[in-house]
Amino acid sequence: MSHRKYMAEAENQKKLLRLIQEGRLDLFKEELQRDENMTKEVRRKHYGKSGDTLMHYAARHGHLNVLTHLVETLEMDIEMFNNDYKRPLHEAASMGHKDCVLYLLDKGAEIDCLKKADWTPLMMACTRKNMEVIKDLIEHGANPLLKNKDGWNCFHIASREGDPQIIQYLLTVSPSSWNTESKIKRTPLHTAAMHGCFDVVKTLLERCQYEPDSRDKCGVTPFMDAIQNGHIDIARLLLEKYKEGHTSTIQTLLSLGADLHAKDGKNRSALHMACAGQHAACVWILLQAGLQDSLDDTGTFARQLAKKPDVLQLFKGISVSA
């Protein structure tokens, strides 16, 4: 093939992709009518580094009319996958295109197909906080308990995104979905606390039976996650939840991270994390709760990590002892 012809074909392919992305079906049809060989080629062609097909582009951009044409006129396979093993259903679910999701399901798309890292369409939908698409997938048989390669199920993902209505819905249709840990032993409560999802943390504490002092493989609890990331409102919520369930003194805070005195794998306390993050309000709460400064495995006190004046001020008048 001559260089000129190769360049011309490349331009034609770019044009077709642009028309699909823009949903200009009439112009797309006109282009194919000019070249019968092109019609045959686009049915099986994968584009670019991602290896997407025209089906992927149509589903991703939510053009149902284009998707219908590709399936029913060009007879493209709805299960074609790209280099990451994504199917068109993954794309439609990920971007929240309800009509495309329902069309693909009606045409028999595999509901729990796996892309790279074992993500299902339902997991993808949970990243977008689109309740309607999540409901459609579950009502068509999607399994909310499946886990990806990191050990996350869709409940974990929804907890990270922070929509309490989706959390409530998932707990209704799959009551055990909360009871899960990732491969590094992180629960959805860890995830919600880390990402500052206050309303989700509140829902999880109300409806789920998490062990409040549950530690991941690094020894971090949800309480420590909240402190480390400066989510003072969540730290308070977790501490209050603990106090409601126990009547003993602060020295017995053996729950919730509350073993307030819990240490991670490097012997760092929640106070170390709060000081490292320069979160003055969190440091104040910990000191008020009675947490004493201590040495980590490197011989460092938490106060030595404090840099900001408002954090340093909190330690004035407090003696340090190993």
Side-chain angles (χ1 to χ4, degrees):
M1 182 189 299
S2 70
H3 179 70
R4 181 175 295 178
K5 186 174 182 182
Y6 174 81
M7 293 300 293
E9 286 195 6
E11 281 303 312
N12 285 339
Q13 296 294 349
K14 284 183 181 178
K15 186 175 183 180
L16 287 178
L17 287 179
R18 187 173 69 253
L19 293 175
I20 291 291
Q21 289 171 307
E22 294 173 357
R24 303 174 74 176
L25 182 57
D26 290 341
L27 291 178
F28 174 75
K29 288 179 181 178
E30 288 179 14
E31 287 297 317
L32 292 190
Q33 286 171 359
R34 294 176 187 171
D35 188 342
E36 187 176 330
N37 289 329
M38 187 181 293
T39 301
K40 294 177 182 178
E41 185 180 354
V42 296
R43 286 193 182 112
R44 60 181 184 276
K45 187 170 179 61
H46 294 260
Y47 298 86
K49 292 181 180 179
S50 64
D52 288 334
T53 68
L54 295 183
M55 291 274 291
H56 288 85
Y57 283 98
R60 183 182 305 142
H61 291 277
H63 300 309
L64 179 59
N65 60 335
V66 177
L67 198 59
T68 302
H69 179 76
L70 296 177
V71 174
E72 298 179 14
T73 302
L74 296 188
E75 299 180 339
M76 291 183 70
D77 182 1
I78 59 172
E79 300 295 359
M80 292 181 80
F81 53 84
N82 68 10
N83 294 341
D84 286 332
Y85 299 102
K86 264 190 184 180
R87 271 71 168 176
L89 184 58
H90 283 106
E91 296 287 0
S94 172
M95 301 306 293
H97 298 310
K98 175 183 172 73
D99 52 356
C100 292
V101 167
L102 290 176
Y103 175 76
L104 290 166
L105 292 175
D106 183 61
K107 288 297 178 180
E110 183 183 346
I111 190 75
D112 285 326
C113 53
L114 300 179
K115 81 170 191 73
K116 194 173 182 180
D118 296 339
W119 282 65
T120 65
L122 178 58
M123 293 174 191
M124 302 292 286
C126 285
T127 68
R128 291 287 179 169
K129 299 195 280 192
N130 190 312
M131 177 73 88
E132 288 190 3
V133 170
I134 291 169
K135 281 186 175 180
D136 288 334
L137 289 165
I138 288 179
E139 287 170 3
H140 280 78
N143 183 353
L145 299 180
L146 292 179
K147 292 186 175 185
N148 64 21
K149 76 172 183 64
D150 295 316
W152 284 35
N153 65 13
C154 66
F155 193 82
H156 244 127
I157 295 162
S159 295
R160 180 189 67 190
E161 299 306 319
D163 188 328
Q165 289 186 326
I166 290 175
I167 292 297
Q168 297 277 14
Y169 171 73
L170 291 174
L171 287 172
T172 299
V173 297
S174 182
S176 67
S177 58
W178 68 270
N179 191 14
T180 183
E181 289 181 342
S182 72
K183 288 189 175 179
I184 57 171
K185 298 183 70 65
R186 290 182 65 76
T187 66
L189 185 58
H190 280 92
T191 302
M194 177 182 181
H195 288 275
C197 303
F198 180 87
D199 290 335
V200 168
V201 170
K202 189 174 180 182
T203 298
L204 297 182
L205 292 176
E206 289 170 353
R207 293 196 58 178
C208 308
Q209 290 77 54
Y210 287 110
E211 291 295 328
D213 62 344
S214 59
R215 291 178 173 83
D216 65 15
K217 280 193 173 179
C218 294
V220 176
T221 66
F223 180 79
M224 293 166 79
D225 266 326
I227 292 294
Q228 186 175 18
N229 289 280
H231 304 308
I232 185 92
D233 51 349
I234 292 175
R236 284 184 186 277
L237 185 65
L238 290 167
L239 202 55
E240 287 168 6
K241 178 68 176 179
Y242 164 76
K243 287 178 178 178
E244 286 173 7
H246 301 266
T247 56
S248 49
T249 67
I250 228 164
Q251 265 61 21
T252 63
L253 285 173
L254 297 174
S255 186
L256 183 329
D259 182 352
L260 193 61
H261 308 282
K263 305 289 183 66
D264 69 8
K266 296 181 180 178
N267 215 31
R268 296 173 302 191
S269 69
L271 194 57
H272 281 88
M273 295 177 179
C275 288
Q278 310 306 315
H279 300 305
C282 293
V283 171
W284 181 83
I285 279 187
L286 292 169
L287 292 174
Q288 289 294 309
L291 183 58
Q292 299 295 314
D293 201 356
S294 60
L295 292 168
D296 66 14
D297 284 347
T298 68
T300 304
F301 283 104
R303 68 186 300 163
Q304 292 174 259
L305 302 174
K307 305 295 181 188
K308 288 187 175 181
D310 54 345
V311 181
L312 290 167
Q313 182 71 26
L314 295 170
F315 287 95
K316 284 197 172 179
I318 298 176
S319 62
V320 178
S321 58

